Amino acid sequence: MSLLKKLVKPFLVVAPYVARSSQTVKYPDERLVFSERFRGRHHLDLDKCIHCGLCARICPCASIVLVPVEGREGKYPQIDYGTCSLCGLCVDACPRGALTMTDFVEFAAYKRSELVYSPERLAEVPDIKEVLPMLKRRIRPVLTDKEMKYEVVEEL
Amino acid sequence: MTEPEVKPEVMRISWGPQHPMSGQTRILIDVDGEVVRRIIADIGFTHRGIEKILEKRTFIQGIVPIERMVMADTANIALGYVQAVEEALGIEVPERAKWIRSLICEMGRINSHLYAFGLQVECTGYFPAVFLWTTVDREVLLDLFEKLTGARWSYSFFIPGGVRADLPEGFRDEVKRAVKYLRRRFQDYWDAMVENPLFEMRNRGVGILSREDAIRLGATGPVLRGSGVDMDVRRDEPYAAYGDLDFKVITEKEGDCFARLKVRFHEIEQSLNIMEQIADEIPGGPVRTKVPLFPRSKPGVEALSRVETARGELGVHIFTDGGLKPYRVKINSPTLRNMYVFERLAELDKVLVADLPVILYSIDPWYLDCDR
């Protein structure tokens, strides 16, 4: 191939991509729907927990401590999301399935102490609309043979 | 680090610690005009004590810290550790789990090679869009990772005795679709970038490492194969499902930056073939044998596992003392070996200051892997 041909070829390859759909997610307005197995914030079922403490023992980051809950017997896990790596080993270790993981990832807080989630706070997962008031739609990535694009799952 | 003395005829420049594209490290270079006379890499600059941390964690807990060694290639690194633990504790792994492990490792390898390819193109300074292209294409793999393991990075998916979950429904079709999409994209990369004369001029004949020097200095991974040495742990000492899989070991003779890039590029093709094979031929059965949450080791057992990561050969050596935690874990990391080669390149070949970033990113360094 001549040098001129070689020089022109990259432009011919790139040209069709000008018409490609946008690959970015406009986050506070749009939010991805994560897969079923996605490891986000924990949900604790207070009635299922048997206070065995296996979650606290297996945690590699020592983020889980067992603390008492008002009006209930026994101690329940409290998770520090300042150090948690969301590995999900605690969920695997839980013998009663009291700990599960949600697709909730909005952890931002003003103080580090706000990142320590008490058992009562873990027991309820807030509605996404409360945390992201500007959220307009939820999307998910779809792969076709030619390109990757986003399709709208739900308009809010 | 004690700095070696500067000779009067050269000037010493400290390159780093802030590097715009990869992590932080400090590299000292002695320059005479535009010619680099000596390279001194400050190995240990980002030392985090991962080996010591692993002594303080139980066998299963150790998976999480060791994955932080190379974030772009967590699957292969974690596999090295998990296999060593399995050997030390005498744990069997079901066949299907091995195939799933190979699948994730190959996806991780493509992910890491794409990142390396993007960086090498970016540091030539001509084509900033290509790094964005590779970032978008990695997204396809990250979505697959998310569906399979639940995380986009640092999967913590391999545990002693298998993997944590089976393939989700319809996952094999999705793998095939992703392979088809990526193949088409890589053809575009090849046409637009690798065959681009401007890019070729910047890379060909730069940072030449001969076959003899590569063996003498202990290079590994694509750097070694780029110098024409036919060596790959996946084929030479098969682990996971690699014994049953059909793939070629890529070598290039030239030993320059362009050869290393081509090795990575052809390895991506081989990885895509492997992914397709696994999606077609994966055997059934359980994915996990029952292992206690806190397995106890036998005293005085030694185990070594070798794994071919994206950057080269990783060795994990475990000693046990009969407790719940390993007594000592020694990690032989690939980037450490390649950084020694990088230090010597100025002696072996004429290196200009302008070529230094190209050479450094052609060995695909990950400083946290180097310093552990």
Side-chain angles (χ1 to χ4, degrees):
Chain A
M1 226 185 320
S2 72
L3 187 66
L4 187 70
K5 229 177 180 181
K6 270 187 172 179
L7 276 171
V8 173
K9 201 178 173 194
F11 293 96
L12 298 178
V13 174
V14 174
Y17 286 95
V18 175
R20 182 161 80 161
S21 61
S22 167
Q23 302 285 312
T24 43
V25 179
K26 299 177 190 73
Y27 169 57
D29 295 329
E30 307 172 334
R31 188 179 184 276
L32 286 176
V33 177
F34 298 122
S35 64
E36 272 172 37
R37 289 183 184 173
F38 188 79
R39 302 204 297 258
R41 210 199 90 167
H42 297 77
H43 174 258
L44 173 66
D45 193 333
L46 289 171
D47 297 328
K48 279 187 187 167
C49 180
I50 53 167
H51 334 295
C52 63
L54 274 178
C55 48
R57 272 189 73 196
I58 195 123
C59 182
C61 311
S63 307
I64 304 183
V65 198
L66 294 191
V67 294
V69 171
E70 224 173 278
R72 278 175 178 270
E73 270 182 30
K75 288 181 170 181
Y76 294 85
Q78 161 194 297
I79 303 179
D80 179 2
Y81 284 105
T83 56
C84 176
S85 61
L86 296 172
C87 64
L89 286 176
C90 47
V91 177
D92 280 14
C94 187
R96 291 296 166 98
L99 270 177
T100 46
M101 282 178 133
T102 62
D103 68 344
F104 192 86
V105 288
E106 281 76 10
F107 288 112
Y110 284 103
K111 289 183 206 154
R112 281 187 73 172
S113 57
E114 286 171 23
L115 288 172
V116 181
Y117 282 45
S118 65
E120 294 100 323
R121 200 171 163 196
L122 287 172
E124 45 196 66
V125 178
D127 187 37
I128 191 74
K129 275 302 267 183
E130 287 169 31
V131 188
L132 296 174
M134 59 286 263
L135 188 69
K136 292 194 190 76
R137 64 192 79 87
R138 305 193 69 173
I139 55 175
R140 86 166 160 228
V142 177
L143 189 68
T144 62
D145 284 351
K146 286 211 168 144
E147 61 171 3
M148 196 184 79
K149 57 185 178 188
Y150 294 102
E151 77 173 14
V152 178
V153 179
E154 184 186 11
E155 291 272 0
L156 295 168
Chain B
M1 180 180 84
T2 51
E3 289 183 20
E5 259 180 55
V6 194
K7 285 181 190 155
E9 67 268 20
V10 296
M11 182 170 72
R12 175 157 298 166
I13 301 172
S14 179
W15 188 29
Q18 293 295 332
H19 283 248
M21 290 178 283
S22 56
Q24 276 74 48
T25 194
R26 184 157 158 266
I27 294 167
L28 302 173
I29 46 177
D30 286 358
V31 290
D32 179 5
E34 212 190 344
V35 182
V36 177
R37 293 277 176 228
R38 190 175 180 192
I39 304 169
I40 307 154
D42 192 349
I43 288 165
F45 189 79
T46 45
H47 176 63
R48 296 183 295 175
I50 284 182
E51 290 176 3
K52 198 71 191 168
I53 289 171
L54 290 173
E55 290 170 24
K56 303 285 173 200
R57 301 281 188 283
T58 63
F59 289 106
I60 290 183
Q61 283 175 351
I63 298 163
V64 174
I66 201 169
E67 282 194 331
R68 267 68 186 165
M69 225 169 86
V70 187
M71 283 305 273
D73 192 22
T74 46
N76 285 301
I77 301 285
L79 184 60
Y81 174 76
V82 168
Q83 282 186 352
V85 168
E86 276 161 2
E87 198 185 321
L89 302 179
I91 298 168
E92 288 290 314
V93 186
E95 198 60 21
R96 187 175 171 85
K98 286 184 180 172
W99 284 68
I100 295 177
R101 282 179 177 186
S102 283
L103 174 65
I104 296 176
C105 283
E106 289 315 308
M107 278 156 64
R109 193 181 315 277
I110 299 173
N111 190 359
S112 178
H113 279 350
L114 267 180
Y115 186 68
F117 175 70
L119 281 185
Q120 200 178 339
V121 174
E122 176 99 352
C123 71
T124 56
Y126 297 137
F127 319 96
V130 173
F131 186 63
L132 300 178
W133 276 18
T134 58
T135 310
V136 169
D137 285 343
R138 268 163 53 209
E139 204 70 12
V140 175
L141 292 164
L142 296 186
D143 284 335
L144 286 181
F145 276 131
E146 190 199 303
K147 275 181 193 135
L148 177 54
T149 68
R152 298 164 72 80
W153 295 91
S154 61
Y155 324 111
S156 314
F157 194 63
F158 304 148
I159 56 163
V163 292
R164 271 166 70 177
D166 203 348
L167 299 180
E169 215 173 297
F171 190 75
R172 288 156 68 172
D173 294 333
E174 276 173 61
V175 168
K176 278 185 210 163
R177 204 177 308 144
V179 168
K180 203 174 164 194
Y181 169 81
L182 288 172
R183 276 220 181 100
R184 207 182 62 82
R185 291 287 286 145
F186 290 134
Q187 190 56 45
D188 283 359
Y189 283 148
W190 185 265
D191 293 342
M193 286 309 311
V194 184
E195 284 192 342
N196 188 331
L198 289 174
F199 182 72
E200 206 177 312
M201 272 191 244
R202 198 79 166 77
N203 281 276
R204 199 180 278 286
V206 172
I208 295 173
L209 180 71
S210 69
R211 185 189 154 92
E212 290 71 34
D213 287 328
I215 295 169
R216 182 171 63 87
L217 297 170
T220 179
V223 180
L224 183 67
R225 290 192 286 274
S227 295
V229 183
D230 191 7
M231 187 178 164
D232 191 318
V233 182
R234 288 178 292 169
R235 184 203 56 196
D236 301 338
E237 207 176 286
Y239 57 93
Y242 290 114
D244 304 328
L245 292 168
D246 183 27
F247 61 96
K248 269 190 274 181
V249 178
I250 308 294
T251 52
E252 294 280 339
K253 282 193 194 103
E254 291 86 4
D256 55 3
C257 292
F258 199 57
R260 296 195 267 278
L261 180 119
K262 276 202 284 190
V263 167
R264 285 204 191 89
F265 215 91
H266 292 308
E267 266 181 26
I268 290 176
E269 279 166 25
Q270 294 298 322
S271 292
L272 287 174
N273 289 348
I274 294 178
M275 276 170 71
E276 225 173 28
Q277 277 180 52
I278 293 175
D280 282 334
E281 298 166 19
I282 185 164
V287 292
R288 192 171 172 176
T289 48
K290 210 159 185 179
V291 174
L293 275 181
F294 302 96
R296 185 173 283 282
S297 58
K298 291 192 189 97
V301 179
E302 231 181 281
L304 171 71
S305 94
R306 290 169 73 199
V307 171
E308 184 75 28
T309 71
R311 284 166 184 75
E313 184 188 328
L314 170 91
V316 180
H317 199 169
I318 287 188
F319 294 88
T320 62
D321 61 351
L324 297 171
K325 299 165 185 170
Y327 174 72
R328 174 86 171 90
V329 182
K330 176 80 185 87
I331 304 165
N332 176 12
S333 66
T335 310
L336 179 69
R337 295 165 64 176
N338 285 339
M339 280 303 267
Y340 284 134
V341 177
F342 173 66
E343 276 195 314
R344 298 295 175 83
L345 274 176
E347 296 162 21
L348 303 173
D349 186 20
K350 190 182 172 188
V351 175
L352 301 180
V353 175
D355 291 336
L356 213 51
V358 183
I359 296 172
L360 180 59
Y361 289 106
S362 79
I363 70 161
D364 193 10
W366 197 277
Y367 308 120
L368 299 174
D369 174 36
C370 173
D371 303 335
R372 300 188 298 287

